[in-house]
Amino acid sequence: MPFFVEVTYNYANPVCSNYTIQRVVNGWTNVAPPIDYGCGYTGTTTWYHIWGDWLMYKAGTYNITVTVDSGNAVTSASNTGKTMSTNITFGGTIIPQWALVDVEFGRTNLGPGTDVIVGTLDDAFDFNDPWYTGNDSLGRPRKIAAIENDLGVDGSPSNDVHSTACLGIVVAKGLNDGDITGLAPDARYVAVEFLNRANVSGLPEPNILDALNACMTNGAEVLNMPWSEWTGDVTLSENGDAPITDLMADYLCYASNIFCVAYDNELTNPTIPTAPGAARNVITVGGLAADLVHVWSSDDSGPTIDGRCKPDIIGGAATNCITPSSDWREGFPVAYGYEGNSFAGPFVTGAAVEMVDYAKHHNLNRDHRLLKAILMNSGVPCLDDNGAAWTNSPTVPMDYQQGTGILKLQRVYAMYSAGQQPTGVVSVPGYDFATDYGTNVPSATLPGSTNGVVSYLLGSPTSSTADLDVTLAWDRHTYWSDLNGDGQIDAGDTFYLDTNNDAQNVLNLALYRNGIQVAESISAIDTIQHLHLTNLTPGAYQLDVIRLSVPNTIDGEPYGLAWYSGAMWTNTTPVSPTLNSVVATLGAGGTISVQIQAANAQAGNLQLQSTPTLAPPIIWTTVSGATFIQTGTNAFQAQVPIQSGAAQFFRVSATQ
């Protein structure tokens, strides 16, 4: 909580000279404006002066020293009676917004951002703040570049309130114990000013694409974009199709593997996310009310015009926020009362920086699609602004106001530290980065193939009421037009889609228990699928990533996949038998053989299911009359009666 410091003092026979009162709070010095309290009085009088406010980052005991007449205007410097020190003790843990998303845990276990460069496109950033100066732990300057004005004090920029507060949540490195420490205090940064938020007269600023080029050429790996901006048609912006800045952001992710953090806006018109928050390949962040329970009522949210969910995740509070302050020279390093998702989103930016740090030092995949899947899959549902609970459906996989819920870094670490787990038997939690080739329609030239279906055998939860979250992320392929041919992104260039030759792929998620489908995420319009399940009972669970047959798509879609459960899972229980899909068009009375690799040498509850088509919705029906003959160790053959001309797709399920 913010606090103020009141100084009460006696003044014998006051004179009318202006004097100052100095407060030193945890090493930060503030000298209040001169006053002349007591002027015209005689004898000894008592006065008090209140000034502040200050905030401490975490619990502890901190020193406060006050000096009356610190400039020696009335009394001599040797007057020891005008200075007093005391200690103030705070309980609790850390600032609630930091505690909410597990900042301390993430910084300790994922990393403080070492070897990672974070860029920001915003107004000016005050790189002279002592929390942002100096070198990283490897001896390199933390500031790589600051492309901005120098119209402020001692070469500092003016127009620096917003970016200093936002990026500070990511990279602040407090001077004293109790100062704010950001999520990634060892990261290096590139700050580029392209917005004149303070309306400074005559302030020169680059075009956004020139500003972007500065971030890219200086090596930014994670890019913070805390604004809503579009050029041209508002409808295109809301659909995620505006060349500047929706497609621009999508291109950065797809072509350059820059992890882009966009923000849910708070506009009264329009009231749904605009560029770049409406883009597909970015991660878009929303915020919470001050109670840290409800979504902030001023948030714009989905559905987008084309029906997609936005935001993707909640980053923290968006009202009455606590941030590093641009008033640090006045002795106030922290401020509160800020409003906007600009101060919720940096928690996701910082989390991404921590993940890149962890990946670099543990030799892990750090593709932006994987980072996005893991971050989103960490979300814990909260309440909508009207108190409604988190909700979704197979075709709308996330809550329109919350996305997947509130970022939780302990869950991020649990998934990422598990290491990549390719297809087949996997542990829970975990992740994979892979490419899905073909489609879910079996190949005419390769009968029995399961092209386009990638399966993960999760095993079984040991609890009778297990939870499971799964997030799948891929890209919309986006391209750049270098209109002036100079080989770099700059003013005048544009970005585009090639839907006639490279349309957006559609990947689905399906979860099976003992071979029977129990959940699916089948949004046909987004590049995200998500499952949030509770009260799962033990059984053999299989997770499938299914690539649909979509015209004009390029074969092979890379994706990031993450899964998490708070319950214990084991792979010691029998798993579903190997699946072989075939298509049959036999005459009346014919049979078809399906090879089955079972979990053990007993037929048990083996059954065969069929469907006449794999076009959605896919409805599987148990085949009556199918019999199983053992042909080898753990191997069986199903004899299936076929009616004349009845093309069927088959799969095997079991509860062995």
Side-chain angles (χ1 to χ4, degrees):
M1 297 294 294
F3 65 94
F4 297 77
V5 177
E6 175 184 323
V7 182
T8 303
Y9 56 97
N10 295 330
Y11 194 167
N13 298 316
V15 297
C16 290
S17 300
N18 287 333
Y19 55 91
T20 56
I21 296 180
Q22 174 182 283
R23 297 162 176 82
V24 181
V25 179
N26 194 38
W28 288 87
T29 299
N30 167 262
V31 178
I35 57 175
D36 63 352
Y37 295 179
C39 174
Y41 285 77
T42 59
T44 299
T45 54
T46 300
W47 304 93
Y48 68 91
H49 186 272
I50 297 177
W51 208 249
D53 47 64
W54 284 269
L55 282 148
M56 306 310 299
Y57 171 69
K58 63 181 181 179
T61 299
Y62 304 101
N63 181 260
I64 298 174
T65 297
V66 299
T67 301
V68 179
D69 188 24
S70 57
N72 308 314
V74 179
T75 58
S76 66
S78 61
N79 184 349
T80 58
K82 64 182 184 181
T83 295
M84 178 182 180
S85 290
T86 188
N87 290 328
I88 182 170
T89 299
F90 295 89
T93 54
I94 61 174
I95 296 173
Q97 296 165 343
W98 267 252
L100 177 71
V101 300
D102 310 321
V103 166
E104 298 275 282
F105 180 93
R107 190 192 309 124
T108 300
N109 292 279
L110 288 167
T114 306
D115 278 335
V116 185
I117 300 173
V118 56
T120 184
L121 292 172
D122 199 354
D123 61 8
F125 178 72
D126 189 355
F127 54 84
N128 284 319
D129 185 320
W131 286 356
Y132 312 139
T133 58
N135 298 332
D136 68 2
S137 60
L138 300 178
R140 300 166 299 189
R142 298 181 68 208
K143 185 190 77 172
I144 292 177
I147 297 90
E148 50 194 25
N149 77 84
D150 58 359
L151 304 177
V153 179
D154 298 326
S156 293
S158 58
N159 190 41
D160 62 356
V161 174
H162 188 265
S163 185
T164 301
C166 296
L167 187 61
I169 292 173
V170 180
V171 301
K173 182 189 293 184
L175 293 179
N176 311 303
D177 190 38
D179 287 345
I180 278 185
T181 300
L183 284 84
D186 204 37
R188 295 184 292 160
Y189 62 84
V190 180
V192 185
E193 175 189 20
F194 86 103
L195 287 175
N196 189 352
R197 293 184 185 272
N199 296 316
V200 178
S201 178
L203 183 65
E205 293 173 316
N207 174 277
I208 186 173
L209 295 187
D210 290 330
L212 173 61
N213 181 55
C215 283
M216 296 179 69
T217 56
N218 282 285
E221 300 162 281
V222 178
L223 189 59
N224 196 50
M225 301 189 295
W227 35 266
S228 298
E229 187 88 356
W230 68 91
T231 301
D233 191 288
V234 176
T235 300
L236 287 178
S237 172
E238 295 170 332
N239 271 342
D241 294 331
I244 313 294
T245 54
D246 281 318
L247 299 186
M248 176 196 81
D250 278 350
Y251 174 81
L252 294 176
C253 299
Y254 173 63
S256 299
N257 197 37
I258 296 175
F259 191 88
C260 294
V261 182
Y263 289 63
D264 206 4
N265 44 264
E266 308 96 42
L267 304 177
T268 56
N269 183 27
T271 58
I272 59 178
T274 58
R280 286 165 173 77
N281 302 344
V282 304
I283 190 168
T284 302
V285 187
L288 293 171
D291 64 4
L292 303 183
V293 174
H294 293 79
V295 172
W296 188 35
S297 60
S298 294
D299 266 9
D300 295 341
S301 59
T304 59
I305 291 177
D306 55 344
R308 291 177 293 118
C309 301
K310 284 290 180 180
D312 298 310
I313 195 168
I314 299 293
T319 183
N320 201 27
C321 302
I322 296 168
T323 71
S325 171
S326 58
D327 290 331
W328 60 272
R329 289 183 179 84
E330 306 303 319
F332 301 116
V334 185
Y336 79 104
Y338 285 93
E339 291 203 350
N341 284 320
S342 294
F343 312 103
F347 290 96
V348 177
T349 303
V353 174
E354 290 180 355
M355 293 181 73
V356 176
D357 175 350
Y358 189 81
K360 287 185 174 184
H361 294 96
H362 293 81
N363 196 29
L364 300 179
N365 187 296
R366 57 179 187 270
D367 187 273
H368 66 280
R369 288 158 286 203
L370 177 61
L371 302 186
K372 181 178 179 180
I374 294 175
L375 284 168
M376 289 182 61
N377 206 54
S378 78
V380 174
C382 56
L383 298 177
D384 288 347
D385 59 6
N386 62 359
W390 189 96
T391 185
N392 74 338
S393 71
T395 57
V396 182
M398 300 179 291
D399 186 276
Y400 281 132
Q401 289 193 8
Q402 305 177 33
T404 60
I406 304 170
L407 167 73
K408 294 291 183 180
L409 282 164
Q410 292 198 44
R411 294 171 60 131
V412 169
Y413 176 76
M415 288 179 277
Y416 213 16
S417 63
Q420 181 159 329
Q421 302 184 50
T423 58
V425 177
V426 299
S427 61
V428 180
Y431 72 86
D432 189 26
F433 182 77
T435 300
D436 197 345
Y437 294 98
T439 72
N440 61 323
V441 177
S443 169
T445 58
L446 296 172
S449 69
T450 55
N451 239 0
V453 180
V454 184
S455 297
Y456 300 83
L457 304 179
L458 303 179
S460 174
T462 58
S463 167
S464 60
T465 56
D467 64 300
L468 180 66
D469 287 280
V470 184
T471 303
L472 171 68
W474 68 101
D475 274 347
R476 179 171 66 166
H477 303 178
T478 313
Y479 298 93
W480 162 46
S481 288
D482 183 13
L483 296 181
N484 62 8
D486 63 356
Q488 63 182 7
I489 293 174
D490 50 27
D493 290 350
T494 191
F495 303 86
Y496 67 97
L497 304 172
D498 186 7
T499 55
N500 291 328
N501 299 294
D502 191 5
Q504 179 180 308
N505 267 302
V506 176
L507 304 181
N508 282 351
L509 273 179
L511 182 69
Y512 302 93
R513 178 184 177 274
N514 299 330
I516 306 299
Q517 184 172 299
V518 294
E520 63 180 357
S521 178
I522 54 172
S523 169
I525 54 178
D526 212 339
T527 55
I528 292 291
Q529 303 289 5
H530 179 69
L531 299 174
H532 172 65
L533 305 168
T534 57
N535 297 318
L536 296 179
T537 57
Y541 284 87
Q542 176 176 310
L543 179 66
D544 283 357
V545 176
I546 306 162
R547 182 171 180 262
L548 303 190
S549 178
V550 177
N552 304 323
T553 54
I554 295 176
D555 190 22
E557 184 62 48
Y559 63 86
L561 179 70
W563 54 91
Y564 177 88
S565 176
M568 294 292 295
W569 288 60
T570 176
N571 277 113
T572 59
T573 58
V575 298
S576 299
T578 301
L579 168 65
N580 290 306
S581 294
V582 298
V583 60
T585 53
L586 301 180
T591 62
I592 186 166
S593 296
V594 181
Q595 295 300 319
I596 305 161
Q597 188 64 41
N600 54 47
Q602 298 179 0
N605 294 320
L606 284 170
Q607 65 177 3
L608 197 69
Q609 295 178 312
S610 72
T611 181
T613 175
L614 288 180
I618 301 172
I619 301 175
W620 294 96
T621 303
T622 300
V623 178
S624 60
T627 58
F628 296 92
I629 301 173
Q630 188 164 353
T631 58
T633 303
N634 299 355
F636 297 85
Q637 188 179 83
Q639 299 292 328
V640 187
I642 299 293
Q643 296 180 356
S644 176
Q648 298 283 313
F649 297 91
F650 295 96
R651 73 174 184 186
V652 179
S653 62
T655 56
Q656 288 192 304

